[in-house]
Amino acid sequence: MKKKNNWHFWEALARIILRNRIAWILFLVAVTAFWASQWKYMRFTFSEANLLPDNHPENVHYQDFLERFGEEGNVLVLGWQDPDFFTHEKIEVWRSLRKKLEAFDEIDYVLSIDNIQELTKNKAKKKFELQPVFTATPKDSSSLALLRQKIFLELPFYENLLFNPSTGTVRMAIYMKEDIVNSAQRKTFIFDTFIPLIDRFEEENQTRIHRSGMPYIRTLNAQNIVDEIGKFVFAAAGVTSLIFFLFFRSIRATVISMLVVLFGVAWALGTLGLLKYEITVLTALIPPLIIVIGIPNCIFLINKYQQEVAKHGNQVKSLQQVIVKIGNATLMTNLTTASGFATFILTNSKVLKEFGIVASINVIGIFVLSLLVIPIAYSFMPLPNKKHLNHLNNKFIDRFVKWMEKKVRHDRLQTYIITLLALIGSIIGIYTIKISGSILEDMPKKRTFFQDILFFDKEFDGIVPLEILIDTRRKDGVMKLATLRRMERLSDRINEIPELAPTTSVVNAMKYAKQAYYNGNPNYYTLPSSQESRFILSYFDASSKGENLLGNYLDDTGQYARMTTFMTDIDTERMEEIEEELLREIRTIFPEERYSVSLTGKALLFLKGTKYLIKNLVISLTLAIFLIALFMAYLFRSVKMIVISLIPNLLPLLITAGAMGYLGIPLKPSTILVFSIAFGISVDDTIHFLAKYRQELMASKWKIERSVYAALRETGVSMFYTSIVLFFGFSVFMSSEFGGTVALGGLVSMTLLFAMLANLILLPSLLISLRDTVANESVLKAPKIQIIETEEHKKSRD
């Protein structure tokens, strides 16, 4: 009765769709117009994706740091490497550039060689004062040489901050106002003001200015993500439509399919706008994903329509059969794909949740579009002519199906040996997979801004900040000499790590103060003694903490201090070694009963977030497997069939994971999606094959081999078409400038190709080899949903 009711539902739905075509067209136009109206609410990310939950300890530490010291990543930097910089003309044009930058409302202040200030001691007032080193730029070479000597040799406080004494490279630090760093205003300033200004400076002075800093990197990287959405949509549409046309040799079939998926893209972008989710490197993948996933729906529906037309030539009946016979199967396959994405919703990662919500909603949306647009569009068109039906007898496809049938019929042992060897090799490869939590890992390596990152890595030991937050647990505890000496010990240890820049902290300020107290003698750039501290601190008290000299490094209470260093672009394994090394030194230097010390900063947060994401991947993939197993149980009501059906879908995932190990492709936020995406899509082929296999079993009265080969011949063509489209569709991601997206495209394409072969060769082989276990009525009970109509059921209705 349930089967009968199920078929009555789809027959009723077919009548509703085909009898109310105009109403459905107006409905689709209205819905698409609504989604288009939501595009204006789309938001582009203005900061790195926070991969950790808000209540995660690492996030709590970072928010505590921001609350006490403000935004860490608000500095733009310019670098000028010129051995002849110390000339009157060049210093003046550098000064002019600095003044132009200072004039913008978005800029808080600018620190540069030309406005460098020297801490001096005012004996009369008993306080420190900051005096400009440049009162006027000297013009003669001897005075310029003396000025260069003073800056490079007598002001160690600014070393590695504003200049590199060994190469002569100078740097300008431009501090943006904190309230615009994570806003749209930052993007406007960078693209409309900052970049044009530096471009003009380079042109006018015939020189090369290196640009970097987290606001600059984040802005250009985010713009690359936005640019790639359009590129991927057009590339995916172009590639899939070309392959579609080559298969079907029909312009109208191709146009109808493109109409379906482009409507799907409009809905996906509208969903992002309606939910006000930011477009990140993950959510930017959704529009092209919808195209790649939607095309197989079109292939199954159009292929079935043309088969029906070739069989009896009745257009109305053909369109009805498309909805009745393929609608249910396509719904099930789309549900499994959506379920693979939906498992991300159950994770604690905000980024993955948003990706899972939008992707799963729009996979169902593309199913609705396919089921409505294709039958309605064809209902207004004449029947396909003979040329359009020629692909049903494609000789190449026929040879491919015969080759698969030969493998299943005669080479099953060979298939099992290859499968076993692949499994063993994959497991070995899996143990070599590395994790990448570098914030710079996925950035486009060929872009100029990435080359500038490498420049600053070389000249100033990195631009990615790493912060150390020190809680002395008492007011003014930072300025105790014992605390300063402990900080100096840690700073000395950090200076020994080649991947880290020398630290800046209150220790530097106190050393500079002692140098100033001794009339600027650089030999006194050391921590003061206990007796010296009393005199020096009294000078600070009289000058409101040295005109903010100390204020940048400790909070208002004097209980908390920060130590800032910068990291070069290093791999995750080395980052973890450095982290462990620093934590070990911290535990040694700062007794836990007296101090609370934590490492934080965006770089460390991203590393922890990546590890957290990978943990969530395991959870989401396990949930996906469990959920899809439930679908199989609901459809086939056989535990043994569930196990057999999962084997050809899990094996390609293991092979891909092994390949990642051998190829040195790390697990990172972009590549971890490979497994859930590929599993959710590849299981669709299994459903189509097993559904047809069941139908053939019942029609042939449990003749196993005949049923397997019949199912292989019937479903092989559509599965080959869809797999090829998916392969080339995901391959378009390999045109990305982001390394992770390239890896995602290549790995998913490879996985789906393996999945096709596993479903068309390994799965039939298992069904034949295990015929005594899975091919009797006690195991293959009547399914809860009749996916493909059997001839017996058809006759009973007739």
Side-chain angles (χ1 to χ4, degrees), residues 548-576:
N548 209 35
L549 184 66
L550 300 181
N552 292 326
Y553 308 115
L554 72 165
D555 74 331
D556 294 336
T557 67
Q559 177 178 333
Y560 293 87
R562 71 186 289 188
M563 296 179 69
T564 303
T565 182
F566 294 89
M567 299 178 65
T568 58
D569 181 27
I570 55 178
D571 60 51
T572 301
E573 188 174 341
R574 180 57 183 149
M575 284 177 67
E576 291 177 322

XYZ file of all heavy atoms in Angstrom, residues 548-576:
236
model
N 53.528 58.014 26.622
C 52.957 56.778 26.060
C 54.022 55.786 25.590
O 53.718 54.825 24.893
C 52.011 57.064 24.894
C 50.938 55.998 24.777
O 50.486 55.469 25.783
N 50.547 55.677 23.555
N 55.285 55.991 25.979
C 56.327 55.047 25.599
C 56.057 53.681 26.194
O 56.297 52.653 25.559
C 57.693 55.568 26.057
C 58.903 54.731 25.635
C 59.079 54.771 24.125
C 60.167 55.208 26.329
N 55.547 53.658 27.435
C 55.235 52.380 28.062
C 53.798 51.952 27.829
O 53.468 50.773 27.956
C 55.476 52.471 29.584
C 56.902 52.826 30.041
C 56.966 52.858 31.560
C 57.902 51.826 29.493
N 52.933 52.900 27.507
C 51.507 52.602 27.396
C 51.160 51.580 26.329
O 50.128 50.916 26.410
N 52.009 51.433 25.324
C 51.744 50.457 24.276
C 51.995 49.027 24.733
O 51.578 48.084 24.066
C 52.633 50.737 23.050
C 52.246 52.028 22.351
O 51.080 52.388 22.312
N 53.239 52.730 21.827
N 52.710 48.893 25.855
C 53.184 47.563 26.244
C 52.592 47.029 27.542
O 52.807 45.874 27.879
C 54.709 47.570 26.360
C 55.395 48.121 25.142
C 56.135 49.297 25.198
C 55.299 47.469 23.917
C 56.763 49.810 24.070
C 55.921 47.979 22.778
C 56.649 49.149 22.865
O 57.261 49.658 21.749
N 51.889 47.860 28.283
C 51.235 47.382 29.494
C 49.902 48.079 29.667
O 49.682 49.161 29.124
C 52.114 47.565 30.729
C 52.356 48.970 31.300
C 52.919 48.871 32.699
C 53.314 49.768 30.436
N 48.984 47.452 30.409
C 47.644 48.022 30.558
C 47.645 49.110 31.616
O 48.673 49.412 32.240
C 46.638 46.912 30.893
C 46.771 46.426 32.319
O 47.892 46.489 32.876
O 45.759 45.978 32.881
N 46.477 49.718 31.836
C 46.386 50.861 32.745
C 46.724 50.508 34.180
O 47.180 51.361 34.953
C 44.967 51.456 32.691
C 44.670 52.062 31.337
O 45.635 52.435 30.630
O 43.480 52.147 30.972
N 46.505 49.265 34.558
C 46.771 48.855 35.946
C 48.226 48.472 36.174
O 48.677 48.377 37.318
C 45.891 47.665 36.349
O 46.284 46.508 35.589
C 44.422 47.964 36.087
N 48.951 48.245 35.102
C 50.325 47.784 35.248
C 50.421 46.309 35.620
O 51.518 45.806 35.882
N 49.278 45.619 35.613
C 49.272 44.194 35.974
C 49.576 43.310 34.759
O 50.180 42.243 34.900
C 47.917 43.805 36.558
C 47.782 42.328 36.902
C 46.446 41.991 37.523
O 45.806 42.832 38.157
N 45.995 40.753 37.334
N 49.140 43.762 33.572
C 49.282 42.951 32.358
C 50.308 43.589 31.418
O 50.339 44.810 31.253
C 47.955 42.836 31.625
C 46.909 42.049 32.369
C 46.075 42.660 33.293
C 46.764 40.685 32.149
C 45.105 41.936 33.986
C 45.802 39.947 32.822
C 44.978 40.582 33.740
O 44.033 39.856 34.417
N 51.107 42.739 30.794
C 52.079 43.196 29.801
C 51.938 42.342 28.551
O 51.453 41.213 28.597
C 53.499 43.085 30.348
N 52.374 42.910 27.440
C 52.393 42.168 26.178
C 53.808 42.132 25.643
O 54.580 43.078 25.817
C 51.461 42.814 25.156
C 51.978 44.129 24.626
C 51.022 44.874 23.722
N 50.851 44.236 22.415
C 50.188 44.809 21.417
N 49.649 46.029 21.578
N 50.063 44.187 20.268
N 54.137 41.029 25.011
C 55.381 40.908 24.256
C 54.978 40.528 22.833
O 54.261 39.545 22.639
C 56.307 39.846 24.857
C 56.784 40.164 26.258
S 57.869 38.861 26.949
C 59.314 39.061 25.907
N 55.433 41.306 21.868
C 55.035 41.088 20.485
C 56.231 40.646 19.659
O 57.302 41.257 19.721
C 54.457 42.377 19.874
O 53.358 42.824 20.655
C 53.987 42.125 18.442
N 56.029 39.571 18.919
C 57.010 39.149 17.926
C 56.268 38.877 16.627
O 55.041 38.937 16.584
C 57.785 37.905 18.393
O 58.762 37.562 17.403
C 56.867 36.707 18.603
N 57.011 38.621 15.572
C 56.392 38.339 14.275
C 56.983 37.054 13.716
O 58.154 36.743 13.941
C 56.619 39.504 13.301
C 55.917 40.762 13.710
C 56.531 41.681 14.533
C 54.627 41.020 13.283
C 55.882 42.833 14.925
C 53.963 42.171 13.666
C 54.591 43.077 14.491
N 56.139 36.332 12.974
C 56.548 35.042 12.431
C 56.721 35.122 10.922
O 55.956 35.803 10.237
C 55.487 33.975 12.746
C 55.240 33.751 14.212
S 53.938 32.515 14.482
C 54.727 31.064 13.799
N 57.729 34.394 10.440
C 57.864 34.233 8.993
C 56.876 33.166 8.521
O 56.212 32.513 9.334
C 59.297 33.811 8.624
O 59.604 32.590 9.301
C 60.295 34.873 9.027
N 56.788 32.972 7.214
C 55.886 31.960 6.646
C 56.526 30.578 6.815
O 57.417 30.199 6.052
C 55.642 32.255 5.167
C 54.689 31.259 4.531
O 53.852 30.702 5.261
O 54.794 31.045 3.304
N 56.088 29.843 7.840
C 56.678 28.537 8.135
C 55.577 27.485 8.153
O 54.389 27.800 8.275
C 57.420 28.542 9.488
C 56.498 29.019 10.615
C 58.662 29.389 9.411
C 57.125 29.005 11.984
N 55.979 26.220 8.035
C 54.979 25.160 8.020
C 54.464 24.884 9.422
O 55.049 25.295 10.431
C 55.539 23.880 7.387
C 56.750 23.324 8.138
O 56.667 23.151 9.364
O 57.785 23.072 7.490
N 53.356 24.164 9.479
C 52.656 23.945 10.742
C 53.485 23.140 11.728
O 53.471 23.417 12.930
C 51.319 23.220 10.473
O 50.549 24.028 9.603
C 50.553 22.990 11.752
N 54.197 22.157 11.222
C 55.005 21.328 12.109
C 56.038 22.175 12.857
O 56.245 22.012 14.056
C 55.708 20.242 11.285
C 56.421 19.198 12.128
C 56.983 18.073 11.283
O 56.535 17.899 10.127
O 57.878 17.376 11.781
N 56.653 23.101 12.131
C 57.636 23.986 12.773
C 56.945 24.963 13.716
O 57.476 25.285 14.786
C 58.423 24.734 11.693
C 59.486 25.690 12.237
C 60.484 24.997 13.120
N 61.454 25.931 13.689
C 62.030 25.794 14.863
N 61.747 24.725 15.626
N 62.889 26.687 15.311
N 55.758 25.433 13.340
C 54.996 26.315 14.237
C 54.715 25.620 15.561
O 54.838 26.218 16.644
C 53.672 26.725 13.574
C 53.798 27.784 12.501
S 52.199 28.137 11.702
C 51.312 28.874 13.070
N 54.332 24.368 15.489
C 54.032 23.619 16.703
C 55.282 23.412 17.537
O 55.235 23.468 18.775
C 53.392 22.282 16.343
C 51.990 22.429 15.772
C 51.390 21.096 15.361
O 52.143 20.243 14.831
O 50.182 20.909 15.576
